[in-house]
Amino acid sequence: MTQSIVVQVGQCGNQIGYRFWDLALREHAQYNKTGIYDEPISSFFRNVDTRHTYPADSIQVGGKIRKLKSRAVLIDMEEGVIGELLRGPLGEVFDHRQLITDVSGSGNNW
């Protein structure tokens, strides 16, 4: 089984990454109508049972899809872009433990 971790850096990287996750979910939904957590989706998403708090409680390949979490790390010097992603329709796909932000920002930092 191949597992990938996507690292999204900066405003552009996070906006492009957001479109990637949207496309990945839509494409998988088109081909997997059964709701089973299969190997193709496990490459980019963890299937988490929200009744448990530990990552070891992730559901293995072949189980029913409970709640998907992206295998991604989001990095930005400003909270704005990542905040927008979290408030959007795919906000629940990102785990708050995988976000790295700073409040100071880098605007006009020449």
Side-chain angles (χ1 to χ4, degrees):
M1 172 177 18
T2 303
Q3 295 178 349
S4 301
I5 296 176
V6 175
V7 179
Q8 301 172 197
V9 180
Q11 179 177 356
C12 183
N14 282 297
Q15 289 173 336
I16 291 172
Y18 188 78
R19 300 301 181 266
F20 166 78
W21 294 113
D22 180 47
L23 180 63
L25 284 171
R26 286 189 289 128
E27 185 174 299
H28 188 266
Q30 183 177 359
Y31 294 105
N32 181 354
K33 307 272 189 216
T34 61
I36 299 297
Y37 182 65
D38 57 9
E39 197 161 329
I41 201 165
S42 71
S43 296
F44 294 104
F45 293 94
R46 292 180 299 121
N47 190 18
V48 180
D49 189 344
T50 56
R51 296 174 296 177
H52 305 284
T53 57
Y54 300 105
D57 295 326
S58 295
I59 299 168
Q60 300 301 317
V61 172
K64 185 178 185 330
I65 292 176
R66 297 285 182 194
K67 186 171 189 174
L68 296 175
K69 293 290 184 181
S70 65
R71 296 183 189 276
V73 177
L74 285 66
I75 303 168
D76 201 339
M77 291 180 71
E78 298 179 359
E79 293 179 332
V81 173
I82 292 179
E84 285 180 36
L85 300 181
L86 295 177
R87 288 188 298 273
L90 297 180
E92 291 187 8
V93 170
F94 303 105
D95 190 340
H96 70 279
R97 295 175 293 177
Q98 299 165 207
L99 309 176
I100 301 171
T101 61
D102 192 9
V103 292
S104 65
S106 63
N108 295 322
N109 189 7
W110 294 87

